[in-house]
Amino acid sequence: MTFVASLGELERAVMGVLWGADEDLTARDVQDALSDRDLATTTVLTVLGRLERKQLVRRMRDGRAHHYRPVASREDHVAELMSDALDGASDRGAALARFLGSMSEEERANLRDLLD
């Protein structure tokens, strides 16, 4: 069983910025994207460091600056979270049934298409 790191609220916000970017970002880029939160650069760097230790972000040096990119897509991360949740269920069938019951008809139709 693999373990996917859970994310705090600020980590989710930073990952959202990185997942939404078309290129690698500096800490300053992330800070600017989250300007409504009035975060210090050191706070953004701390969060990026935690995400790197959780192996969710890759850091690359470019001159004096570091650039950051997500290791995997948002969809890959969510799929791993779902897999981990199912691995933790004592009855996978019951967990899947409850999950399917919470889906809209359109989502269930999409799932049927994927399974075919």
Side-chain angles (χ1 to χ4, degrees), residues 27-42:
R28 180 60 173 203
D29 295 331
V30 173
Q31 182 181 15
D32 290 346
L34 298 172
S35 62
D36 60 316
R37 293 173 177 260
D38 195 31
L39 300 170
T41 304
T42 53

Side-chain angles (χ1 to χ4, degrees), residues 2 9-10 19 21 26 33 35-37 41 55 57 69 72 75 77-78 81 87-88 95 99-100 104 108-109 113:
T2 61
E9 191 271 329
L10 187 52
W19 279 322
T26 64
S35 62
D36 60 316
R37 293 173 177 260
T41 304
Q55 299 179 352
V57 167
R69 79 166 56 140
E75 293 75 17
H77 181 71
V78 170
L81 288 171
D87 286 346
F99 179 69
L100 290 172
S104 69
R108 285 193 297 275
D113 289 344

